[in-house]
Amino acid sequence: NAGVTQTPKFQVLKTGQSMTLQCAQDMNHEYMSWYRQDPGMGLRLIHYSVGAGITDQGEVPNGYNVSRSTTEDFPLRLLSAAPSQTSVYFCASSYWPGGVTDTQYFGPGTRLTVL
Amino acid sequence: RKEVEQDPGPFNVPEGATVAFNCTYSNSASQSFFWYRQDCRKEPKLLMSVYSSGNEDGRFTAQLNRASQYISLLIRDSKLSDSATYLCVVNGRYGGSQGNLIFGKGTKLSVKP
């Protein structure tokens, strides 16, 4: 199994550009999520999905869109990039969210810089 | 009060030392508790779940006190390879789900020879 994969690893955008961060998992996990990690802020949940066709907002959803057309893929779209979106983005998946025996598997991250 | 608070660190300890990390959480409805480890410029990985009765995995011991809403992680006989940031994680509620995870900011541990 490849686990959770993310592309690209690094990206530089100009203010106002749009782009999609890709996330895929091959573990047949129902739950997928996107986090951003900023220095001194910890990981913050952007959006999550509990299955294909179902998405919901997390703590910091503004400026981001998601969709879940398949179990495997959960792309994150930046509609109009802003410098405040400079961050490291992690995608994660799990079989069932929040259970005592649950494990969140994270992708390697995408380092995004918005100029 | 922030949802998950941890010792700010950094903790700088010699090899072989015992080190303890503390964490408090604000949501009394939380049911699931974890410690994750994150190496520099890497993704977080599950270190261990935390059970009400306390649990141990080799040199690592986790404790939970629901009444005080307090979680701890004890590392005995520290190794150089234990150097990392340790994240306290509890489940919380966003949107329609109680099953999301809320991360503390992490405590950085540096084990020196």
Side-chain angles (χ1 to χ4, degrees):
Chain A
N1 284 350
V4 180
T5 58
Q6 290 183 237
T7 56
K9 284 187 166 46
F10 301 93
Q11 183 70 50
V12 178
L13 292 178
K14 294 181 180 178
T15 298
Q17 287 184 314
S18 63
M19 78 160 295
T20 299
L21 307 185
Q22 301 291 345
C23 174
Q25 52 90 10
D26 61 359
M27 297 174 281
N28 201 31
H29 285 166
E30 297 170 352
Y31 181 86
M32 296 186 74
S33 55
W34 276 101
Y35 296 88
R36 61 177 288 174
Q37 186 172 35
D38 303 295
M41 295 296 294
L43 281 95
R44 293 181 292 169
L45 182 66
I46 304 171
H47 285 284
Y48 68 96
S49 169
V50 298
I54 306 169
T55 64
D56 207 343
Q57 297 181 349
E59 181 184 0
V60 287
N62 292 341
Y64 307 95
N65 274 359
V66 292
S67 59
R68 184 93 178 270
S69 57
T70 68
T71 299
E72 294 78 20
D73 301 296
F74 190 44
L76 178 72
R77 283 183 289 278
L78 281 69
L79 306 174
S80 177
S84 61
Q85 294 179 303
T86 294
S87 187
V88 180
Y89 292 84
F90 288 103
C91 178
S93 75
S94 63
Y95 176 70
W96 190 257
V100 171
T101 59
D102 184 43
T103 299
Q104 293 266 327
Y105 295 90
F106 284 83
T110 295
R111 296 184 176 275
L112 176 67
T113 301
V114 182
L115 302 176
Chain B
R1 179 181 177 184
K2 294 194 185 302
E3 295 205 58
V4 179
E5 291 198 74
Q6 297 184 239
D7 291 345
F11 284 41
N12 298 306
V13 303
E15 271 187 295
T18 296
V19 60
F21 301 138
N22 303 316
C23 170
T24 57
Y25 61 96
S26 61
N27 184 359
S28 59
S30 292
Q31 296 292 322
S32 302
F33 311 92
F34 311 90
W35 285 100
Y36 276 71
R37 168 190 170 132
Q38 186 174 24
D39 294 306
C40 187
R41 301 180 72 83
K42 298 288 189 181
E43 72 272 22
K45 292 184 179 178
L46 179 67
L47 177 66
M48 58 196 304
S49 301
V50 186
Y51 304 121
S52 295
S53 55
N55 49 300
E56 188 173 307
D57 182 3
R59 299 181 291 108
F60 299 83
T61 300
Q63 296 280 351
L64 169 64
N65 183 322
R66 286 185 184 271
S68 302
Q69 295 180 201
Y70 170 90
I71 306 164
S72 66
L73 176 68
L74 184 75
I75 305 175
R76 292 181 299 277
D77 189 21
S78 300
K79 312 290 185 190
L80 295 177
S81 57
D82 294 333
S83 297
T85 296
Y86 291 83
L87 309 174
C88 177
V89 185
V90 306
N91 77 298
R93 187 175 185 87
Y94 289 112
S97 172
Q98 186 67 249
N100 294 303
L101 297 184
I102 300 173
F103 287 77
K105 294 180 182 180
T107 302
K108 186 174 181 179
L109 172 65
S110 181
V111 181
K112 306 293 187 183

